[in-house]
Amino acid sequence: MDPKSQRVKLNDGHFIPALGFGTGAPPEVPKSEAVEVTKFAIEAGFRHIDSAYTYQNEEQVGQAIRSKIADGTVKREDIFYTSKVWSTFLRPELVRPALEKSLKDLQLDYVDLYIIHQPVALMPGETLFPTDENGKPMFDSVDLCRTWEALEKCKDAGLTKSIGVSNFNHKQLEKILNKPGLKYKPVCNQVSSSAPLPPVLQNLLLTLEPDVCLSFPPVHLTFVKRGFYRTKLVSGLCK
């Protein structure tokens, strides 16, 4: 794999490897495995490592990245690392602390891409999936435009090089893109799909009107497989 020849230029000038290695895994997979498989992925040529706070393994993934930097396999600038702000941290004042927690676990100075994991806010607290006494999800009321502004501040502070979204629909994306005072456009919209891509999503991606497409960020697909997964940036759809 030649990582330098398989990159896509984002709208902020940074480059993202077209193929990445995802570190999400089912709960039954030991966290320690994230160290070895991430090392193996880097040795195999992957330079885009995709993770998230909710995967609860950023400490192990960071250990693997630092190990491959220490042994000379890669330099920090060779690695494109993606993390995600989880739904319980979407209040604007919680975004930067969430990113700082990820950086502390990773023991890295910055991430390359920080994205809103999903456009659904959950009540802040100790648990990732808060529920009430009846077992129903406890949602929070958050203006995602304010959340986006908090991500912009993280970019300005140098904690992340690029910012984007994940699992957003057309209207949610346009709300961000049309926000008064928008400083940075999302560089991508990461969406999950079981391979092969369902026809309905294929049609959605391939039939976007040109004028609408030009306003959209690239679509970053996550193909879910057993255990760890891979990601792919779909280029050529949007500029």
Side-chain angles (χ1 to χ4, degrees), residues 206-220:
L206 297 177
T207 61
L208 289 173
E209 295 294 333
D211 57 336
V212 174
C213 189
L214 288 175
S215 71
F216 268 54
V219 178
H220 182 188

Side-chain angles (χ1 to χ4, degrees):
M1 181 188 301
D2 181 3
K4 291 185 178 180
S5 66
Q6 299 181 29
R7 301 188 304 166
V8 176
K9 189 174 183 179
L10 300 173
N11 63 28
D12 62 359
H14 294 297
F15 288 84
I16 182 173
L19 186 65
F21 182 77
T23 61
E28 61 269 20
V29 177
K31 294 290 187 291
S32 59
E33 287 196 17
V35 178
E36 295 308 315
V37 296
T38 303
K39 285 182 182 179
F40 181 80
I42 293 173
E43 291 167 357
F46 283 94
R47 295 296 178 262
H48 179 188
I49 306 299
D50 180 278
S51 193
Y53 177 87
T54 191
Y55 298 166
Q56 297 290 280
N57 62 6
E58 287 193 297
E59 181 178 349
Q60 290 77 21
V61 173
Q63 179 183 339
I65 293 173
R66 298 194 316 276
S67 172
K68 291 291 96 184
I69 292 174
D71 70 12
T73 301
V74 292
K75 298 178 181 178
R76 172 63 185 93
E77 57 267 29
D78 297 329
I79 296 293
F80 189 100
Y81 183 83
T82 296
S83 187
K84 310 176 187 72
V85 56
W86 180 238
S87 297
T88 53
F89 301 100
L90 294 188
R91 293 183 183 182
E93 66 273 17
L94 299 180
V95 172
R96 178 165 177 164
L99 176 51
E100 290 175 337
K101 173 64 167 61
S102 287
L103 290 173
K104 181 179 179 181
D105 289 342
L106 292 161
Q107 294 187 41
L108 298 177
D109 294 328
Y110 66 91
V111 298
D112 296 273
L113 175 61
Y114 199 51
I115 61 182
I116 299 175
H117 204 143
Q118 60 182 10
V120 179
L122 297 173
M123 196 64 63
E126 297 299 320
T127 179
L128 293 175
F129 299 94
T131 56
D132 61 19
E133 62 275 12
N134 298 313
K136 295 183 178 180
M138 296 175 63
F139 297 104
D140 195 16
S141 179
V142 175
D143 183 346
L144 292 176
C145 286
R146 305 288 82 79
T147 303
W148 184 254
E149 290 171 358
L151 264 72
E152 290 180 324
K153 292 178 180 177
C154 288
K155 177 177 169 67
D156 284 337
L159 301 178
T160 180
K161 292 185 176 296
S162 301
I163 51 177
V165 298
S166 180
N167 300 309
F168 273 50
N169 63 28
H170 181 104
K171 291 183 178 180
Q172 291 160 340
L173 263 175
E174 287 202 326
K175 186 176 181 181
I176 299 294
L177 292 169
N178 296 326
K179 184 187 77 67
L182 179 69
K183 189 170 186 178
Y184 303 116
K185 290 183 179 181
V187 300
C188 73
N189 182 25
Q190 186 185 100
V191 294
S192 297
S193 174
S194 295
L197 198 62
V200 63
L201 187 52
Q202 289 180 4
N203 293 336
L204 171 64
L205 296 178
L206 297 177
T207 61
L208 289 173
E209 295 294 333
D211 57 336
V212 174
C213 189
L214 288 175
S215 71
F216 268 54
V219 178
H220 182 188
L221 296 176
T222 298
F223 296 95
V224 182
K225 293 179 177 290
R226 182 179 178 84
F228 296 91
Y229 61 83
R230 65 188 179 93
T231 65
K232 183 177 182 180
L233 189 75
V234 180
S235 60
L237 293 177
C238 308
K239 298 179 181 179

